[in-house]
Amino acid sequence: ELAHEINRQNDMLTEWIKMRRGNIRPHIENVNLNDIFAVVKKTSTTTTKTRITADTSTVVKADKSLTLFLVNTLVDNARKSGATEIDVKAITNSNYAEISVTDNGKGMTDEQLAHLFEYKQIDGKGGFGLQNCRGIIDRYRKISSLFSVCMISAKSAIGKGTTISFRLPLVKTVLILLLSLASINLQA
C-alpha cells in the first residue's frame, strides 16, 4: 500500500515536471539521508533484496521531496531491470554526499548508457523518470555555486548490472552545531 502511494506521488510529480518544463523551484533545506532511506526501506518488495547503507550523520542541502523522488526513481528502475539485489548507499566527501543505487540486473550496452537520461518509452510506459532526475540535478546547479558539486552519472555492464549515482552538497555538522548554538543564544 505504501509502495503504491509513493509510486502514485512519483507519477504525479512526473506529470507536474512535464507541465512545468524545467521550472522547478526546489525548497532547499537540510535533509538527513536516513529520513529518505527509511521511506525507501518501507517500499522494499519481497522479490527484491534492498540493502541501504548510510551514515546516520549524513545531511545534505537539498529539497527533501525531490531527493526522495531521485532515490525512489533509481530504486524503482533497478527493480524493473530484473535485479534481485539492490544496494543504496551514501558516501561522503569533504564537499558532497554521493548517493548511489547499484543493482545486479541485466545491465546496459554503451549505446543505452549514452542515452540513459533522455526521454524514451519503457515497456510501453512513459520514460520521464531518469530525464526528470537529470533535470532536478541540472536545476540544483543553476541555483548557486553551493550546488556546483551536483551531478548524476551511470555505469553499467551487460549481465553485471548498473550503478547510478548523484551528488548533493554536504552540510557540515560543525556548521549545524554552530548555527544551533547561535539560535539558542539569540533566544536567551
Side-chain angles (χ1 to χ4, degrees), residues 17-100:
I17 291 171
K18 285 191 307 191
M19 289 183 337
R20 303 281 299 186
R21 300 219 180 235
N23 291 327
I24 301 169
R25 292 212 172 117
H27 173 70
I28 304 302
E29 59 186 313
N30 293 340
V31 178
N32 187 318
L33 290 178
N34 280 336
D35 295 343
I36 302 298
F37 293 164
V39 173
V40 174
K41 274 184 187 179
K42 289 179 185 175
T43 66
S44 293
T45 64
T46 54
T47 57
T48 306
K49 181 179 180 183
T50 305
R51 286 185 299 268
I52 297 178
T53 310
D55 178 347
T56 57
S57 64
T58 303
V59 178
V60 295
K61 266 296 189 205
D63 180 296
K64 193 171 190 173
S65 298
L66 294 177
T67 304
L68 178 59
F69 176 83
L70 286 162
V71 175
N72 193 57
T73 297
L74 300 183
V75 169
D76 190 48
N77 283 353
R79 287 183 185 128
K80 290 176 184 174
S81 77
T84 56
E85 293 184 9
I86 301 170
D87 289 320
V88 181
K89 44 176 113 161
I91 300 170
T92 58
N93 185 308
S94 60
N95 297 328
Y96 60 83
E98 182 166 296
I99 297 93
S100 64

Side-chain angles (χ1 to χ4, degrees), residues 7-18:
N7 286 333
R8 190 182 73 71
Q9 293 290 331
N10 274 350
D11 290 343
M12 193 167 44
L13 181 58
T14 297
E15 288 302 314
W16 180 81
I17 291 171
K18 285 191 307 191

Side-chain angles (χ1 to χ4, degrees), residues 74 89 91 98 100-110 112-114 116-117 151-158 160-167:
L74 300 183
K89 44 176 113 161
I91 300 170
E98 182 166 296
S100 64
V101 176
T102 302
D103 67 61
N104 67 345
K106 58 187 176 187
M108 291 180 275
T109 65
D110 289 342
Q112 290 171 314
L113 201 55
L116 183 64
F117 297 106
M151 54 78 63
I152 188 165
S153 63
K155 53 186 176 179
S156 186
I158 294 290
K160 295 188 179 180
T162 302
T163 298
I164 301 178
S165 304
F166 65 95
R167 293 179 184 168

Side-chain angles (χ1 to χ4, degrees), residues 94-145:
S94 60
N95 297 328
Y96 60 83
E98 182 166 296
I99 297 93
S100 64
V101 176
T102 302
D103 67 61
N104 67 345
K106 58 187 176 187
M108 291 180 275
T109 65
D110 289 342
E111 176 69 18
Q112 290 171 314
L113 201 55
H115 301 285
L116 183 64
F117 297 106
E118 298 171 4
Y119 169 75
K120 59 189 162 294
Q121 292 286 75
I122 302 170
D123 298 330
K125 299 176 184 170
F128 281 101
L130 291 175
Q131 181 186 25
N132 286 339
C133 290
R134 186 194 69 213
I136 290 167
I137 295 299
D138 289 347
R139 179 67 181 140
Y140 279 139
R141 283 199 305 261
K142 292 176 184 176
I143 291 174
S144 82
S145 61

